């Protein structure tokens, strides 16, 4: 029987493809973004405790109240704002579900969504499944700075939503306060909503500061902000995140959420709520990952891979044009098979990829994993001669 696919041009996501290839070829997996080390044993203890304390049935549709309270305290501490956990915070089954649900809440067929490429690969399919029209703005490497006059030109009468992502996956670049003010100005006097993917909020380096839409009242008033426990507490497999939005938007978001996942893993929400009592856990994440970034950068030196600036996230992009003129998909395949390192080709983050020679590595790995990768990368020059 012929199947008329709703996503005819999408295959399996590159993250799954590359992780599978890493296994197949025994490569060091620096492709899909996840830590290869364990979370804090105390967090695991809390989780186990709640399995045995009868917290094994459905949680509230909106999320465990204590966890939402803790999140409200967190943002009060970070930005001095007062979020009402009752009608402004919803716990989701990970950041990607939060993004998908926010897009489904807003987008009707024919409506346009502006976002910046390179972009996380879930945005466009989510828009298209709702019948929306994806309007990517291509940012040029190696700096990926935003040309605000171009952004203004992308707006039309059909524009319903703009998606932003800082710190950015895959580029590792962050938005400045000036970018936020420009965004605020572009959006003022429009009916356009905002979706802000802030899952890497705590992974930000060199003393720089994360710009959250929650810290800009005019942006916050029209926005869904998406966050992730997986990135913050090294538990990507728990698939728990949350979405912050004003009451009216949250109400509509929850209408969709309840028919999609209904509610999220109960015992783990209780564990996270207890664990969040200590804000020190997320406040020290920047140093933790900054060290890993610097360690990885040192390993890259002399390999022929030219690192781009990484201000945040756990991703390091590298230009490999000194080593090869092959396209990034071919180069990545060669790298996994012949060198034993799995990476992600940057073209996977574009609808119409430019001709850049750039790949992304994830450095959320144990020192020994990075060291092994470093050993293998030393052979790169010889192998490409
Ligand atoms: N966000 C992660 C990355 O960019 C992967 C998430 C996924 O595998 N879907 O690597």
């Amino acid at each position: 029987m012929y199947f008329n696919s709703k996503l005819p041009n999408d295959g399996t996501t590159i993250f799954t493809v590359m992780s599978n290839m890493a296994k197949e070829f025994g490569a060091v997996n620096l492709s899909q973004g996840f830590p290869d080390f364990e979370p804090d044993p105390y967090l695991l203890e809390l989780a186990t405790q709640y399995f045995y304390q009868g917290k094994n049935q459905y949680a509230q549709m909106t999320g465990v109240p204590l966890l939402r309270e803790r999140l409200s305290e967190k943002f009060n501490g970070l930005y001095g704002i007062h979020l009402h956990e009752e009608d402004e915070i919803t716990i989701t089954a990970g950041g990607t579900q939060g993004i998908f649900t926010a897009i489904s809440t807003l987008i009707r067929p024919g409506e346009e969504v502006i976002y910046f490429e390179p972009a996380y690969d879930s945005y466009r399919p989510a828009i298209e499944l709702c019948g929306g029209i994806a309007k990517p703005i291509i940012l040029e490497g190696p700096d990926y700075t935003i040309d605000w006059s171009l952004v203004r030109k992308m707006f039309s009468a059909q524009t319903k939503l703009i998606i932003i992502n800082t710190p950015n996956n895959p580029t590792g670049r962050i938005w400045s306060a000036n970018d936020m003010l420009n965004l605020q100005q572009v959006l003022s006097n429009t009916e356009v909503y905002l979706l802000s993917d802030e899952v890497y909020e705590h992974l930000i380096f060199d003393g720089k500061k994360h710009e959250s839409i929650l810290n800009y009242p005019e942006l916050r008033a029209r926005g869904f902000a998406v966050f992730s426990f997986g990135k913050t507490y090294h538990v990507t497999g728990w698939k728990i995140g949350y979405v912050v939005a004003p009451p009216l938007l949250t109400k509509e978001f929850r209408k969709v959420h309840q028919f999609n996942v209904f509610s999220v893993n109960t015992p783990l929400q209780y564990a996270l709520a207890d664990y969040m009592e200590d804000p020190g856990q997320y406040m020290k994440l920047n140093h933790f990952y900054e060290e890993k970034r610097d360690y990885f950068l040192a390993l890259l030196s002399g390999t022929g891979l030219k690192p781009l600036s990484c201000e945040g996230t756990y991703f390091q992009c590298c230009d490999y044009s000194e080593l090869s003129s092959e396209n990034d998909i071919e180069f990545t395949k060669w790298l996994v098979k012949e060198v034993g390192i799995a990476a992600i080709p940057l073209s996977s983050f574009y609808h119409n990829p430019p001709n850049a020679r750039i790949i992304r590595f994830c450095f959320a790995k144990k020192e020994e994993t990075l060291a092994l990768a470093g050993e293998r990368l030393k052979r790169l020059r010889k192998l490409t001669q």
Side-chain angles (χ1 to χ4, degrees), residues 186-241:
V186 168
L187 291 177
S188 66
N189 303 317
T190 72
E191 296 294 309
V192 174
Y193 293 93
L194 172 61
L195 172 56
S196 182
D197 176 351
E198 303 186 22
V199 298
Y200 299 99
E201 64 182 320
H202 298 299
L203 282 69
I204 191 154
F205 315 131
D206 308 315
K208 290 183 178 150
K209 187 174 139 273
H210 170 57
E211 295 293 344
S212 173
I213 64 162
L214 300 183
N215 212 11
Y216 292 80
E218 283 178 41
L219 296 179
R220 187 181 141 200
R222 60 171 84 225
F224 294 92
V226 179
F227 301 90
S228 157
F229 289 106
K231 316 290 185 289
T232 303
Y233 296 134
H234 319 309
V235 287
T236 61
W238 286 16
K239 291 299 298 175
I240 308 187

Side-chain angles (χ1 to χ4, degrees), residues 126-137:
I127 296 162
E128 291 178 354
L129 283 170
C130 297
I133 299 164
K135 291 280 192 181
I137 295 175

Side-chain angles (χ1 to χ4, degrees), residues 248-295:
L248 183 65
L249 295 185
T250 293
K251 189 171 155 220
E252 294 301 318
F253 179 93
R254 288 175 179 175
K255 285 188 196 172
V256 180
H257 176 78
Q258 69 186 342
F259 294 127
N260 180 8
V261 294
F262 179 64
S263 71
V264 174
N265 191 307
T266 312
L268 300 183
Q269 287 192 63
Y270 278 98
L272 287 166
D274 283 356
Y275 195 67
M276 279 197 75
E277 249 177 312
D278 174 16
Q281 295 301 340
Y282 53 79
M283 296 312 283
K284 63 185 182 201
L285 212 57
N286 45 9
H287 292 295
F288 176 79
Y289 275 119
E290 186 173 318
E291 269 180 23
K292 292 205 178 289
R293 179 202 61 178
D294 292 345
Y295 182 65

Side-chain angles (χ1 to χ4, degrees), residues 26-27 29 32 76 99 110 126 161 187 272 292 320 323 363 381:
N29 189 1
Q32 192 178 25
N76 185 244
I99 290 164
L161 172 68
L187 291 177
L272 287 166
K292 292 205 178 289
Y320 65 86
L323 297 168
F363 56 79
R381 270 196 196 281

